[in-house]
């Protein structure tokens, strides 16, 4: 078990502190997006640099809310030549920073195409190898899928949220099929990851921010999809859901 203790103090943020967290988060995102784009402009951007920026940005965001992280479970060797997709619970905007800080490897979020339209951030994500798959356009989807597959073969670990949207209370919402189709199409190993307590930091559809919250990251047993077909989709979704439910419900954070 690994502890990343960023703060022992839990409190509800005042209006002034909430404003500071929001402004600080926007500022940090703008700074690191600019660093990525500047390096890309001068041909000095590479994967290790992006990994470093992602982790520095994430750690800084989590320090703003003084999150206290604990990581449990065994993470597989992401450099063993297989393709990996992290399938995580999704109950906060902080799920991504927590994952970047807690897990090794070149992790990239499978992003909604709308995020790439955000000035500065969208361009930085594209330069930093953050993939998006637009299944509403078949020709584009085939091209996006092939690119995602090539990225995974080169060592990128994709992060996806099967729920598709944030849970307001930390319980699992119904799954969408998109990331499971991707797992089957790429014969990826699915790594279930449950992030307990993260919904308390910034509850979904709320402006309330709670400081110093304990966050428990739990890594499950990898699930193979190699050799599986579309007929196995329902069973794979069930296996992932069962794993995440067990991780969410297995004891209290210490």
């Amino acid at each position: 078990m690994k502890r990343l203790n960023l703060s022992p103090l839990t409190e509800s943020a005042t209006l002034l502190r909430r404003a500071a967290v929001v402004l600080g988060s926007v500022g940090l995102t703008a700074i690191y997006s600019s660093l990525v784009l500047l390096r890309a402009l001068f041909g000095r951007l590479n994967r290790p640099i992006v990994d470093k920026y992602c982790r520095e940005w994430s750690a800084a965001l989590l320090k703003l809310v003084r999150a206290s992280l604990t990581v449990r479970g065994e993470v597989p060797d992401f450099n063993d030549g297989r393709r990996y997709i992290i399938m995580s619970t999704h109950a906060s905007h902080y799920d991504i920073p927590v994952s970047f800080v807690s897990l090794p490897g070149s992790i990239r979020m499978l992003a909604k195409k709308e995020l790439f339209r955000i000035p500065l951030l969208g361009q930085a994500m594209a330069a930093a190898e953050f993939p998006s798959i637009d299944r509403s356009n078949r020709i584009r989807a085939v091209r996006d899928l092939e690119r995602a597959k090539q990225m995974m073969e080169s060592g990128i670990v994709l992060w996806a949220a099967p729920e598709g949207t944030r849970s307001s209370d930390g319980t699992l919402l119904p799954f969408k099929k998109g990331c499971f189709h991707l797992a089957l199409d790429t014969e990826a190993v699915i790594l279930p990851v449950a992030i307990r307590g993260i919904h308390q930091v910034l509850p979904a559809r709320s402006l309330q921010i709670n400081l110093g919250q304990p966050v428990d990251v739990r890594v499950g047993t990898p699930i193979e999809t190699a050799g599986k077909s579309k007929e196995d989709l329902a069973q794979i979704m069930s296996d992932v859901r069962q794993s995440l439910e067990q991780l969410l419900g297995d004891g209290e954070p210490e």
Side-chain angles (χ1 to χ4, degrees):
M1 180 174 67
K2 177 173 66 173
R3 290 188 182 276
L4 303 171
N5 196 356
L6 303 179
S7 170
L9 182 63
T10 299
E11 63 179 275
S12 178
T14 63
L15 180 60
L16 183 61
R17 182 57 191 251
R18 290 202 299 270
V21 169
V22 172
L23 291 175
S25 300
V26 171
L28 284 165
T29 301
I31 289 170
Y32 279 99
S33 295
S34 298
L35 288 172
V36 167
L37 292 175
L38 282 172
R39 279 190 168 268
L41 179 64
F42 291 103
R44 299 181 59 190
L45 185 67
N46 56 45
R47 194 170 291 174
I49 287 292
V50 172
D51 296 343
K52 176 175 178 289
Y53 284 166
C54 285
R55 289 189 168 86
E56 288 179 352
W57 168 76
S58 298
L61 290 180
L62 293 171
K63 283 181 180 178
L64 285 176
V65 294
R66 301 205 299 263
S68 177
L69 305 186
T70 301
V71 183
R72 310 165 190 260
E74 184 176 350
V75 180
D77 179 10
F78 288 143
N79 296 313
D80 62 3
R82 297 186 294 175
R83 308 178 190 104
Y84 282 92
I85 295 181
I86 296 168
M87 290 200 184
S88 171
T89 54
H90 191 29
S92 172
H93 287 307
Y94 286 94
D95 292 323
I96 296 294
V98 165
S99 298
F100 279 142
V101 169
S102 304
L103 302 172
S106 297
I107 299 173
R108 302 291 185 270
M109 172 182 63
L110 183 62
K112 296 179 180 179
K113 62 181 184 296
E114 289 79 11
L115 290 178
F116 291 90
R117 298 172 187 161
I118 299 176
L120 202 62
L121 175 63
Q123 293 89 333
M125 288 174 59
E129 299 182 289
F130 280 73
S132 176
I133 297 180
D134 183 4
R135 292 190 179 273
S136 64
N137 183 319
R138 178 171 176 78
I139 296 176
R140 173 89 183 229
V142 171
R143 185 168 65 246
D144 290 345
L145 179 62
E146 183 58 32
R147 180 171 180 266
K149 186 175 181 179
Q150 291 173 357
M151 291 169 62
M152 294 166 72
E153 288 173 345
S154 69
I156 290 289
V157 178
L158 294 189
W159 185 100
E163 295 166 274
T165 189
R166 289 170 294 144
S167 168
S168 60
D169 59 3
T171 58
L172 279 181
L173 299 176
F175 284 176
K176 298 183 182 299
K177 296 180 180 180
C179 57
F180 294 96
H181 282 295
L182 176 60
L184 282 171
D185 290 340
T186 58
E187 296 189 318
V189 178
I190 297 173
L191 183 66
V193 172
I195 307 176
R196 291 188 52 175
I198 194 67
H199 67 287
Q200 297 286 4
V201 177
L202 176 60
R205 293 165 288 282
S206 168
L207 298 178
Q208 179 61 48
I209 297 174
N210 298 308
L211 306 176
Q213 290 293 315
V215 178
D216 198 13
V217 182
R218 301 186 172 191
V219 181
T221 303
I223 297 172
E224 297 277 357
T225 66
K228 302 292 180 64
S229 67
K230 301 297 183 184
E231 286 70 28
D232 300 303
L233 180 66
Q235 184 60 54
I236 293 172
M237 293 177 68
S238 176
D239 291 344
V240 172
R241 188 173 192 89
Q242 183 177 356
S243 177
L244 290 177
E245 286 177 341
Q246 182 178 0
L247 292 169
L248 284 172
D250 187 14
E252 293 298 324
E254 297 177 359

